[in-house]
Amino acid sequence: MLEPSFRDPFRISRRVATLGVVAAAAFLTACGGDGSSNAGATATLAVLETTDLHFNVRSYDYFKLAEDKTYGFERTATLVRAARKEFANTLLVDNGDTIQGTALADYEATISPIPCTQQLSMYKAMGALGFDAGTLGNHEFNYGLPFLNQVLGGGLDVEGVDASKKCAGAGYPMALANVYSSKTQKPLVQPYMLLERSLIAKGTDGKEVKLPIKVGVIGFTTPGIMNWDKRYLEGKVYTEGAVEAASKYVPELRAKGADIVVALLHGGLDSSAYSPTMENPGLYLSKVAGIDAMVMGHQHSVFPDTAAKPAYSQAGVDNNAGTINGVPAVMASSWGKALGVIQLSLQWDGTKWAVNKAASKSELRNIQSKNAAGTTVYVDPDATVAPLIETQHQAAIQYVKTPIGQTDFRMSTLFADVGDPGAIQIVNQAQQTYVAAYIQASLPQYAQLPVLSVSAPFKSGFQGGSDYTDVAVGPLAINNAADLYLYPNTVYAVKVNGADIKNWLEAAAQRFNQIDPAKTTEQALISTFPGYNFDMFTTADVQYEIDVTQARGSRIKNLMYLGKAIDPAQEFVIATNNYRATSGRSFSDKLDGSGTIWASPDANRDVVIDYIRKNPAVTRAANGAAKSWRFASVSVAGPVVFSSGANALAVAQAAGLNNVSLVAADDGSGKGTSKYAVDLSK
Ligand code: MG
Ligand code: MN
């Protein structure tokens, strides 16, 4: 009568819950009013996780203006539907960083703000699946509290926000236990929720039986929001550590009758000592009594991971069992690339459920896999998702094609390996400007230090002759920023000294093979060291030579700052990206995260876009001619050669590289590249 189907009892019983008293009576009748007769019944509840979707509804790259099947909620949705067919009982949760991350997100937040009556496209798409609960990530705060209030439907009682405003909302309830309104001293949104549902269970007689369950859901975000979105949050909200918040609220949830408690942690795992501002406290949260399952995120990584070198291997992490300190857990990558599945094994004692953690298990289901023939295959998109957002999707595409400036030169990395800064300098200018402004405004203790920037030719031919940054003369649109900055990194600022800079450049100079000046036969200049690691300055303030005849580690010569030999002890702030700042230990011991003075929340790509908006007339003279480095002059007996895009010598000449010549139009690699020579004596 109330249940149209047995497929999805959780969503059916959501209807039951809203029908209130009548439904409860019907439920008791169905159970015979005597649950204890079913003592010993068992059930599996599959907790399904999406995390860090970052507004990737479609498998679509708004910068490249092309489909990209490697991500997208429209494909994760297919995995959700399959899991709902497979498991009688499912709980679908989202772990935050949901409303920011694509051009469509920016379009709906700032370019053509979505009206109060309309759901964000991301939430609209998620509504096609019906989420049970969610939490907020750090990026939910990126557009400010009034916008967050609107897209969540209203109710945020915090300074500067009209809490009475009622809007369309997310379509599912949010829990967040560790962010408080300064105005009310109460949690900004409800800290937890108790979902009353019914489970399809197996009785001791082997027959199917429906039994009630109360699922407690509690959420936590990373306290870093107070730094990353300081301008929106300072004085308005404050945070608490995940462990402190859990220790307070999990017992409350239990006291209110929660059979099980699922923690949604917008954070991951870090083995350093616990602190209340810790970004990734999962190892510690898992030890709080009363948490039965933990879904994680924020690090855009994966757990469990059965690869030879798993993403996480700290003490307490069990990648085979899928547990953290014995608690079943998942982290489902990012952008909808995977669905996290925790199968919770439940036992009914006649009045309540308990989790058998040892019999529970967790796994990731990826949208991308290899078939028997070894070919990469992708899960098909769920056909219901794309049509829901088609109008907004097309509007976002028009938005990214909008010119924001223009360039008077071809900005390319075709000859970045031999000295053309043409596609790198603007990235460095944008990063330097952004970090310097932030330090002046918010980090006065570093305001006296010079701010410099490094970047690299991210696209430098690895995939062949078209794998180069190559922006034509003429209008610059938002989507060109993807060509200028390939990766979805965020800007980080690190404090280093002159000696660290030398080490950093020595590491970057591994881009080159060691050249023997006496050798008369051809020598290849470029090593297998990736182009994206060839960090370089592009400013008159920093000058250095790279001597490729020397061994690795001894190649940087005449390193000067403002015309004088750099002082090894002088301190600098360097703008770079999160990747280099946190996993660049082979470049400098300060690049393991310890030298980071600011982990900005903004993508390098967005910073480049913003820079072009403010400096729309891009010229070779101002944005593509500042060479910080050159090869140390050396006569080599034979040719020194390298490959680059086909027949592009004019690009080298336009960059003033008169020591480059074309050797062969086809270098024989089959990758669409020509062979060039560089004369290192010039
Ligand atoms: Mg995050
Ligand atoms: Mn994220």
Side-chain angles (χ1 to χ4, degrees):
M1 27 168 219
L2 286 173
E3 293 90 358
S5 125
F6 280 102
R7 251 202 207 144
D8 200 345
F10 262 61
R11 295 181 62 212
I12 292 156
S13 53
R14 173 188 295 183
R15 269 187 67 201
V16 171
T18 49
L19 293 173
V21 176
V22 177
F27 173 78
L28 288 173
T29 306
C31 274
D34 181 15
S36 64
S37 63
N38 292 304
T42 58
T44 298
L45 170 61
V47 178
L48 311 178
E49 179 207 29
T50 58
T51 190
D52 297 88
L53 288 172
H54 283 286
F55 223 118
N56 288 285
V57 177
R58 300 288 310 277
S59 299
Y60 188 83
D61 185 328
Y62 289 94
F63 290 108
K64 293 179 182 156
L65 299 174
E67 180 182 53
D68 187 334
K69 294 177 180 177
T70 64
Y71 57 82
F73 176 71
E74 61 179 327
R75 290 173 205 271
T76 339
T78 301
L79 296 176
V80 172
R81 291 205 201 274
R84 282 178 171 162
K85 280 193 182 131
E86 180 180 343
F87 300 107
N89 307 298
T90 59
L91 184 77
L92 178 59
V93 298
D94 178 74
N95 202 33
D97 276 8
T98 311
I99 71 168
Q100 176 277 343
T102 60
L104 178 55
D106 287 340
Y107 180 77
E108 295 195 346
T110 63
I111 306 302
S112 178
I114 201 100
C116 173
T117 51
Q118 204 174 317
Q119 274 187 305
L120 278 182
S121 289
M122 188 71 241
Y123 288 144
K124 204 171 175 185
M126 293 165 82
L129 276 293
F131 276 68
D132 292 282
T135 192
L136 305 181
N138 50 300
H139 284 286
E140 264 62 66
F141 296 90
N142 286 170
Y143 301 114
L145 290 167
F147 182 77
L148 181 61
N149 181 61
Q150 176 189 319
V151 300
L152 294 182
L156 299 196
D157 194 359
V158 63
E159 189 199 321
V161 168
D162 176 8
S164 67
K165 187 174 176 179
K166 291 276 179 288
C167 295
Y172 58 90
M174 303 293 177
L176 186 61
N178 70 326
V179 178
Y180 292 80
S181 166
S182 302
K183 179 180 162 189
T184 65
Q185 311 279 304
K186 289 184 179 140
L188 183 66
V189 303
Q190 60 183 336
Y192 56 77
M193 66 198 85
L194 199 56
L195 303 173
E196 299 193 29
R197 303 291 160 90
S198 65
L199 284 184
I200 294 178
K202 196 163 111 180
T204 48
D205 58 1
K207 289 195 179 127
E208 193 173 275
V209 56
K210 292 184 81 182
L211 293 166
I213 186 169
K214 290 180 180 170
V215 181
V217 178
I218 183 166
F220 310 91
T221 198
T222 177
I225 57 170
M226 299 309 300
N227 299 322
W228 298 321
D229 283 308
K230 192 175 180 176
R231 66 194 185 281
Y232 294 134
L233 303 182
E234 194 169 45
K236 296 185 177 132
V237 303
Y238 58 93
T239 64
E240 189 173 46
V243 168
E244 288 79 0
S247 302
K248 185 160 56 186
Y249 292 120
V250 171
E252 264 188 47
L253 258 176
R254 290 285 178 186
K256 287 183 179 174
D259 292 285
I260 67 168
V261 172
V262 178
L264 313 186
L265 171 64
H266 189 81
L269 303 174
D270 175 355
S271 56
S272 60
Y274 179 76
S275 86
T277 55
M278 189 175 200
E279 191 170 345
N280 297 294
L283 287 171
Y284 302 95
L285 183 64
S286 65
K287 290 182 179 170
V288 174
I291 292 176
D292 295 299
M294 189 167 73
V295 306
M296 303 183 289
H298 180 62
Q299 290 179 311
H300 293 203
S301 192
V302 291
F303 180 82
D305 181 10
T306 51
K309 262 190 88 178
Y312 299 107
S313 55
Q314 294 99 329
V317 172
D318 188 333
N319 280 291
N320 295 314
T323 56
I324 309 291
N325 294 312
V327 175
V330 285
M331 187 192 291
S333 188
S334 63
W335 297 20
K337 288 175 219 164
L339 179 71
V341 180
I342 302 176
Q343 294 181 46
L344 285 175
S345 173
L346 302 174
Q347 292 174 330
W348 176 253
D349 72 0
T351 55
K352 61 183 189 307
W353 291 100
V355 175
N356 180 348
K357 287 180 184 167
S360 299
K361 58 183 170 187
S362 61
E363 65 181 300
L364 294 193
R365 297 181 178 187
N366 297 309
I367 63 170
Q368 179 179 331
S369 61
K370 291 242 198 276
N371 68 13
T375 311
T376 300
V377 291
Y378 303 90
V379 166
D380 287 332
D382 182 279
T384 65
V385 172
L388 292 172
I389 66 145
E390 179 59 14
T391 305
Q392 293 292 89
H393 174 62
Q394 292 302 334
I397 289 171
Q398 287 314 307
Y399 156 61
V400 298
K401 289 179 174 173
T402 309
I404 54 172
Q406 57 178 20
T407 172
D408 78 348
F409 71 106
R410 182 174 171 185
M411 306 171 82
S412 103
T413 56
L414 284 158
F415 296 93
D417 280 330
V418 292
D420 179 8
I424 299 167
Q425 187 178 347
I426 200 161
V427 173
N428 277 332
Q429 289 173 311
Q431 292 179 172
Q432 194 276 341
T433 303
Y434 171 78
V435 168
Y438 184 83
I439 286 176
Q440 288 306 316
S442 303
L443 294 172
Q445 66 271 40
Y446 303 118
Q448 302 310 313
L449 301 183
V451 178
L452 300 169
S453 176
V454 293
S455 192
F458 296 113
K459 295 166 78 175
S460 50
F462 183 72
Q463 320 262 18
S466 58
D467 181 27
Y468 291 91
T469 297
D470 198 1
V471 177
V473 172
L476 282 171
I478 288 163
N479 63 301
N480 292 128
D483 204 9
L484 291 167
Y485 202 102
L486 180 65
Y487 296 109
N489 294 337
T490 50
V491 176
Y492 273 44
V494 294
K495 182 164 75 75
V496 299
N497 61 31
D500 298 319
I501 288 176
K502 168 87 162 31
N503 291 338
W504 192 331
L505 295 174
E506 288 286 5
Q510 295 175 76
R511 177 67 176 159
F512 305 108
N513 291 319
Q514 186 170 1
I515 300 299
D516 179 353
K519 206 166 178 180
T520 53
T521 52
E522 195 173 272
Q523 297 183 72
L525 179 66
I526 307 300
S527 73
T528 56
F529 186 79
Y532 55 72
N533 282 336
F534 183 30
D535 281 355
M536 64 180 78
F537 294 95
T538 54
T539 168
D541 293 352
V542 181
Q543 294 289 310
Y544 53 103
E545 293 173 8
I546 298 176
D547 186 346
V548 294
T549 66
Q550 301 300 307
R552 290 177 175 198
S554 308
R555 292 175 172 174
I556 302 301
K557 299 285 158 68
N558 299 319
L559 175 56
M560 318 274 274
Y561 174 64
L562 297 180
K564 291 186 201 138
I566 200 164
D567 174 358
Q570 184 181 353
E571 292 190 317
F572 298 86
V573 173
I574 311 287
T576 178
N577 59 57
N578 58 314
Y579 185 84
R580 181 72 72 248
T582 62
S583 57
R585 217 171 184 292
S586 61
F587 290 70
S588 159
D589 57 12
K590 306 241 175 79
L591 295 176
D592 60 357
S594 63
T596 299
I597 59 163
W598 184 40
S600 95
D602 288 322
N604 302 65
R605 184 186 279 168
D606 290 339
V607 166
V608 171
I609 291 168
D610 193 52
Y611 185 83
I612 295 171
R613 279 189 202 281
K614 289 172 181 154
N615 304 275
V618 174
T619 65
R620 170 69 85 176
N623 309 104
K627 294 170 185 154
S628 275
W629 68 275
R630 62 212 67 244
F631 292 112
S633 180
V634 56
S635 290
V636 182
V640 175
V641 300
F642 64 98
S643 290
S644 186
N647 298 312
L649 190 60
V651 176
Q653 288 166 345
L657 298 170
N658 300 319
N659 57 343
V660 175
S661 57
L662 180 67
V663 177
D666 180 352
D667 65 4
S669 68
K671 292 165 84 177
T673 38
S674 293
K675 186 194 283 188
Y676 301 88
V678 58
D679 181 349
L680 296 175
S681 71
K682 286 188 185 166

